Amino acid sequence: QQQVKQSPQSLIVQKGGISIINCAYENTAFDYFPWYQQFPGKGPALLIAIRPDVSEKKEGRFTISFNKSAKQFSLHIMDSQPGDSATYFCAASKGNFNKFYFGSGTKLNVKP
Amino acid sequence: EAQVTQNPRYLITVTGKKLTVTCSQNMNHEYMSWYRQDPGLGLRQIYYSMNVEVTDKGDVPEGYKVSRKEKRNFPLILESPSPNQTSLYFCASSHNYGYTFGSGTRLTVV
């Protein structure tokens, strides 16, 4: 049973558009929610993360929106660029940062 | 440069032939972990280590072994590989708030 469910599996966005990737979780003990970005042939790299005491976190063109009551969080990429084309993973952890549960990944393709 | 180094990057082996994938980090991190990545399943944790000589099972430990004799190294051992262990493997280390991943090892077991 997957602890974190991610959608969509793939996403095509035009350059300049907004990319939105959604994740949902069940375990209310989760208290840290990172997003990872993975380019082909590379390992995932931490992109942005949020804790449940805030509803939104923004870093440049990347924003996490967090809805604690719905147990959902999402990644928004504003003004999407072809260089953003990658696979994105959401994740969640509880208490210690050694154990992360990952979503199934979203392959984003930004068309020029 | 802070990094996690895995070797080899690519490996093709036959069923039953023992193999080891090495992992080394230069960040003095206490926590290290192994994940496998499969299409549609995301990243699943195989084993993790909280410090030297302290290891524990993740979500998919069957068929794998690990050891942590030194802080910087965390090798993954497949004693008798099987085709269902064909996957992309990542080693990672962490020091609060997230992982630094290696570049991956693509393993094919025929």
Side-chain angles (χ1 to χ4, degrees):
Chain A
Q1 180 188 0
Q2 202 149 19
Q3 299 258 3
V4 179
K5 295 182 179 178
Q6 183 173 346
S7 63
Q9 191 172 359
S10 63
L11 183 60
I12 300 174
V13 174
Q14 289 295 127
K15 179 182 175 181
I18 303 173
S19 303
I20 302 174
I21 304 170
N22 300 301
C23 285
Y25 63 97
E26 286 299 323
N27 191 338
T28 55
F30 287 146
D31 59 4
Y32 181 67
F33 302 89
W35 284 87
Y36 284 82
Q37 180 188 54
Q38 183 183 28
F39 293 106
K42 302 288 187 182
L46 181 63
L47 182 64
I48 187 173
I50 197 168
R51 297 181 77 84
D53 51 348
V54 296
S55 60
E56 184 175 284
K57 183 173 182 180
K58 185 176 181 179
E59 289 184 3
R61 296 183 295 106
F62 299 90
T63 300
I64 300 178
S65 296
F66 188 83
N67 186 329
K68 190 173 181 178
S69 60
K71 292 184 284 187
Q72 295 175 347
F73 59 110
S74 59
L75 176 69
H76 296 237
I77 306 174
M78 312 299 288
D79 187 26
S80 298
Q81 299 296 312
D84 297 330
S85 297
T87 299
Y88 293 82
F89 292 97
C90 60
S93 73
K94 51 182 177 179
N96 75 72
F97 303 104
N98 194 51
K99 173 83 175 167
F100 285 86
Y101 297 91
F102 285 86
S104 55
T106 296
K107 188 171 184 179
L108 172 65
N109 185 5
V110 181
K111 298 277 193 186
Chain B
E1 180 189 353
Q3 60 185 1
V4 176
T5 303
Q6 291 178 232
N7 281 297
R9 289 294 307 273
Y10 302 92
L11 180 59
I12 301 174
T13 191
V14 296
T15 299
K17 186 177 181 182
K18 180 179 179 179
L19 66 91
T20 299
V21 183
T22 64
C23 174
S24 179
Q25 51 98 0
N26 62 0
M27 296 166 281
N28 202 37
H29 286 169
E30 291 182 346
Y31 303 134
M32 296 187 74
S33 187
W34 277 101
Y35 282 84
R36 61 179 287 174
Q37 182 177 354
D38 301 288
L41 297 176
L43 292 147
R44 294 180 293 168
Q45 191 177 51
I46 303 170
Y47 268 94
Y48 67 92
S49 169
M50 297 180 72
N51 213 325
V52 175
E53 302 292 1
V54 180
T55 63
D56 206 349
K57 296 177 181 179
D59 298 312
V60 288
E62 294 78 20
Y64 304 95
K65 285 176 58 177
V66 293
S67 69
R68 188 91 181 273
K69 292 182 170 52
E70 317 166 81
K71 198 171 189 178
R72 62 184 291 122
N73 295 324
F74 190 44
L76 178 69
I77 302 157
L78 284 72
E79 295 264 355
S80 182
S82 63
N84 66 10
Q85 293 178 298
T86 292
S87 186
L88 179 58
Y89 292 86
F90 288 100
C91 179
S93 71
S94 66
H95 178 67
N96 298 332
Y97 303 112
Y99 283 125
T100 299
F101 282 90
S103 296
T105 296
R106 185 166 291 281
L107 172 66
T108 302
V109 183
V110 298

